[in-house]
Amino acid sequence: MNGERLDVVVVGGGFAGLYMLHHARQRGLRARLYEAADGVGGVWYFNRYPGARCDVESVDYSYSFSEELQQEWSWSDRYASQAEILRYLEHVADRFDLRRDIRLRSRVTAASFDEAADEWLIETDRGEQVRARFCVMATGSLSVPRIPPYPGLEDFHGRCLLTAAWPQEPVELAGQRVGVIGTGSSGTQLVPVLARQAAHLHVFQRTANFTVPAQHEPMTPEYEREIKAQYPERRRTARQTTSGLYADMSRQSALEASEAERRRVYEAQWSTAGFGFILSFRDLLLDRRANDTAVAFIHERIREQVDEPAVADLLCPVDHPFGTKRPPVDSDYYRAFNRENVTLVDVRRAPIEAITPRGLRTAQAEYELDVLIFATGFDAMVGALERIDIRGREGIALAEKWVQGPRAYLGVASAGFPNLFTITGPGSPSVLGNMIVSIEQHVEWIGELLDHARGAGTTRIEADGDAEDAWVAHVGELADATLYPLANSWYLTGERGQPRAFMPYAGGLRRYRRRCEQVAADGYEGFTLSARAPLGGT
């Protein structure tokens, strides 16, 4: 297959990649998808750790492009588990006959643009080379795990596990002394499960995290019938909200509401909304005083759930506003610390110094462990893209262009890299809301652009440098008008010596969608379309 020519190569086999493959084929384009794993699913293939579950309701965290699919599939839980989401994606791959155009166990290692032919040359770690007019990166925002370089890790005599690369075979933790490093989304989901299994569990916390209760429950037949009866309207509504969720941001100000009204809203949202708690008032992410009212309420809820006041104090976040890091939804996370076999270790006060043969040593003590679990997050937004040797015009490397931070027009295309598109890349709403709504919007917009190119005889589509500069500035201005920059989160660049910049688009999905629609209506303003060679497809 070396040198085979395609219209579209898709990199990544999660939600974005599968839909992009299906969408390209529906438009008559010859397409192929490459996936490094030995199965489809993307982030939901690898993150198999106990307790892994989505933070968006399953009825919304699913494709809307096929009415038949959404009517025939039945979710068992309000918030789907990793295993059920993976079964869903496997079903999608089978139902739409996608597997015949998927190459598993094939990691794309390089992609270089041939300027003479207006084609991308794609190479994999299996020695395969193909040419394609267009290359679509569906590599995911959270797909490259990050492990801090602790000294002595290689000397640990116990077992090391990574939440983002959990073994497929069962892991026996009963009777084990277990340590978990990290209290982000993965850690807060994992801890309550481990607390019920381990002989003793040490949770090493650097930064306390706001979590909201999942209000998780099994899907009832009545609720499922109600959702399926209103699916078309529900989907239309979600596409026009700020977050891509069915419930939109409240139009009420927390500061204008009375104290009694604020409490009523917070109590109602806390008991029903799950991740939607962040939508309680329109100014929670805009005004620190408004945000402080939510912080005070959540601190109360934490202290109600945790018996030991000193432990509750450690679990109350004080260094960032609520919502400026994506708040996990949890199932009894805080109550897990009431168990006698669970110890919270503050590694901000006493940092981790080394991993030892017998466990872990902080500045104050050493902890003997049989199992050490890293829930330490990802090289977010750009990690997967920068690990591929992507070279555009004149051989420039994407990683080199992005050395001071990612730059892309609409979060979809980067100047100097013609015919290369990213799904939910930096500069788009992506991780600030329901990812599936953002994914479908991106795939469909890219598909319409490719249709336009084919109709016009265009073989090269490239973002203009000026349009890219203006968009990057716009993204930064929107972020600076919010509280997001007040947190040290994976939303920001800066960990590798880059200027500190907010990567996602903070203006909301509705505003972003309208901008993309206007760009298309104006003849794809901000892109240069030109022709060198005939475009394939039937």
Side-chain angles (χ1 to χ4, degrees), residues 255-335:
L255 296 178
E256 293 173 0
S258 67
E259 184 175 349
E261 174 64 9
R262 278 199 305 268
R263 178 165 291 275
R264 186 194 67 76
V265 170
Y266 285 145
E267 292 282 4
Q269 293 288 87
W270 189 260
S271 61
T272 61
F275 181 73
F277 184 84
I278 199 171
L279 308 176
S280 298
F281 293 101
R282 62 174 168 80
D283 48 359
L284 290 189
L285 291 173
L286 301 175
D287 190 299
R288 188 63 184 262
R289 294 172 303 156
N291 195 278
D292 285 345
T293 67
V295 169
F297 178 85
I298 297 172
H299 282 182
E300 285 183 30
R301 302 290 79 75
I302 294 172
R303 292 191 169 95
E304 287 174 358
Q305 296 174 74
V306 181
D307 296 340
E308 177 57 51
V311 174
D313 287 344
L314 286 178
L315 290 169
C316 287
V318 295
D319 65 348
H320 64 280
F322 168 68
T324 52
K325 296 184 177 185
R326 186 172 175 118
V329 297
D330 77 89
S331 297
D332 290 330
Y333 171 69
Y334 294 116
R335 289 189 176 89

Side-chain angles (χ1 to χ4, degrees), residues 236-247:
R236 280 193 296 271
T237 299
R239 293 188 194 105
Q240 296 301 324
T241 64
T242 299
S243 63
L245 300 173
Y246 178 58

Side-chain angles (χ1 to χ4, degrees), residues 99-115:
R99 294 187 189 274
R100 62 184 168 90
D101 290 318
I102 295 176
R103 299 290 187 268
L104 298 174
R105 296 176 292 278
S106 297
R107 181 179 297 279
V108 170
T109 56
S112 57
F113 186 67
D114 182 341
E115 296 186 57

Side-chain angles (χ1 to χ4, degrees), residues 459-485:
T459 61
R460 180 181 292 195
I461 304 168
E462 183 177 352
D464 299 335
D466 290 344
E468 177 178 277
D469 290 344
W471 184 255
V472 171
H474 174 59
V475 170
E477 289 166 1
L478 287 176
D480 288 342
T482 73
L483 302 180
Y484 282 119

Side-chain angles (χ1 to χ4, degrees), residues 159 169-176 197 371:
R159 185 174 188 182
E169 67 275 7
V171 176
E172 182 55 61
L173 296 172
Q176 302 288 294
Q197 297 177 355
V371 180

